[in-house]
Amino acid sequence: MRIVSLLPAATDLVAELGLVGRLVGRTHECDWPPSVMARIPSVTSAGFSDATLTSREISDAVGGSRHSGSSLYTLDTEALAALAPDVILTQDLCDVCAVSYTAVSRAVRVLDADTRVLSLEPRTLEDVLDCLLRVGRLLGVEETALRRHAGLTARLSAVRRRTAGLERPRVVAVEWLDPLWPAGHWVPEQIECAGGLPLLASAGEHTRPMEWDAVVEARPDVLLVLPCGFAPERTLRERHLLTGQPRWAELPAVRRGAVWVLDGPAYFNRPGPRVVRGAEVLAHVLHGETVGAPVTPGEALRLTTD
């Protein structure tokens, strides 16, 4: 079976199922496991490089507050056809995060093959784990999917047990810096699982931009900074977008030294199996608890204003 993944989270799912060897195509943003970047060709490209643009410039390029991004990514239909995939994994949740489902549907219609397309649209933690089962069934490895699902569920349960009964800090999670955007979908559940009280967004919610005053009024004990698509070192380049805000120093999170820069793409932005590791990371961030492997600076870095 020849698989093309048009969503980084779907590539993560394929890897979780032990089927990277069947992957023949990916997006330019699929970077996990690292081996896919060297071995598997990309069939997409973006109209800009986020390495040279600010958060505001990127936001404007993808449609600003509309969060549309319908023309953000280009799908190489000729390259896709040449790969002759049996299965294409895609999504219909956010056109800013991957090639739009409409574009994929158009490409599949011109393929001279019986290609199956699975669109993944998870909004909650349960949805994310259910995607593993759906992909496993489609790819003929349902028993493996069930085992992996059970293992991931057990890890989440371990996080809940470790943080049960602890004081629940008030938490704001930010997934974009300019404009300021609260993290929704499964992130509030990750926070709750790790023993925190999520503010400014609810589980499953597709959020909208907010004013800085909303953060000030929320008075978070902990501020999580996990911009979509930004590794921590990229986020730190724009730390001034937060630290330069009015009344920044008045935030309880700032006074407590509890502002954290996290690896959003790895553990929070993408609806793949690594969101479970995100919950483990938050157990450390919120409560100093170690669940699973010890948390590294590359996963969670305390932001200082020195």
Side-chain angles (χ1 to χ4, degrees):
M1 181 177 293
R2 298 171 62 80
I3 306 166
V4 168
S5 169
L6 297 180
L7 181 67
T11 302
D12 289 6
L13 291 169
V14 171
E16 185 73 18
L17 294 169
L19 298 178
V20 169
R22 299 187 190 180
L23 200 63
V24 297
R26 62 175 177 92
T27 77
H28 63 286
E29 292 190 326
C30 293
D31 54 11
W32 185 266
S35 61
V36 303
M37 299 181 67
R39 189 179 65 81
I40 301 167
S42 169
V43 294
T44 69
S45 60
F48 64 88
S49 169
D50 65 12
T52 59
L53 299 181
T54 66
S55 291
R56 171 60 67 171
E57 289 169 337
I58 294 172
S59 179
D60 290 343
V62 302
S65 62
R66 297 192 308 276
H67 207 58
S68 56
S70 58
S71 61
L72 177 59
Y73 297 105
T74 300
L75 176 61
D76 188 335
T77 54
E78 291 186 3
L80 180 65
L83 292 173
D86 300 301
V87 172
I88 296 176
L89 302 175
T90 185
Q91 59 89 47
D92 197 17
L93 181 65
C94 176
D95 289 348
V96 173
C97 301
V99 177
S100 72
Y101 182 73
T102 300
V104 176
S105 298
R106 285 198 301 265
V108 170
R109 282 198 296 269
V110 301
L111 293 180
D112 186 19
D114 184 21
T115 303
R116 289 173 289 176
V117 178
L118 178 61
S119 178
L120 305 174
E121 304 175 41
R123 293 181 179 272
T124 65
L125 271 182
E126 182 179 1
D127 292 344
V128 172
L129 297 187
D130 283 348
C131 283
L132 185 65
L133 299 178
R134 292 180 63 199
V135 173
R137 284 193 294 268
L138 179 63
L139 301 183
V141 290
E142 186 169 9
E143 290 188 5
T144 298
L146 287 169
R147 289 196 301 271
R148 297 295 192 186
H149 184 280
L152 293 169
T153 301
R155 288 171 59 188
L156 287 175
S157 296
V159 173
R160 292 189 179 96
R161 287 195 303 270
R162 185 66 64 85
T163 58
L166 300 179
E167 183 178 354
R168 292 165 59 83
R170 295 161 52 83
V171 182
V172 166
V174 173
E175 73 172 9
W176 199 249
L177 299 179
D178 190 12
L180 202 64
W181 209 300
H185 292 142
W186 45 86
V187 175
E189 290 178 284
Q190 289 176 291
I191 294 170
E192 289 179 340
C193 177
L197 178 64
L199 308 174
L200 304 182
S202 302
E205 180 183 359
H206 187 79
T207 58
R208 291 182 171 275
M210 63 182 175
E211 298 296 328
W212 174 250
D213 286 348
V215 179
V216 174
E217 292 170 5
R219 298 184 56 79
D221 301 309
V222 180
L223 181 62
L224 308 176
V225 188
L226 40 95
C228 189
F230 283 10
E233 59 270 19
R234 174 66 176 82
T235 300
L236 289 173
R237 283 166 41 190
E238 296 194 19
R239 59 195 290 179
H240 63 279
L241 294 173
L242 291 175
T243 61
Q245 291 283 2
R247 302 176 64 186
W248 164 259
E250 297 177 23
L251 292 181
V254 175
R255 295 201 303 266
R256 297 174 68 239
V259 181
W260 292 84
V261 176
L262 307 177
D263 192 336
Y267 307 119
F268 301 97
N269 309 148
R270 300 174 180 176
R274 290 190 292 164
V275 297
V276 173
R277 178 56 180 168
E280 294 173 343
V281 169
L282 290 183
H284 166 76
V285 166
L286 301 183
H287 297 291
E289 296 287 342
T290 298
V291 187
V295 173
T296 68
E299 294 175 317
L301 180 67
R302 195 186 300 268
L303 179 65
T304 63
T305 55
D306 298 340

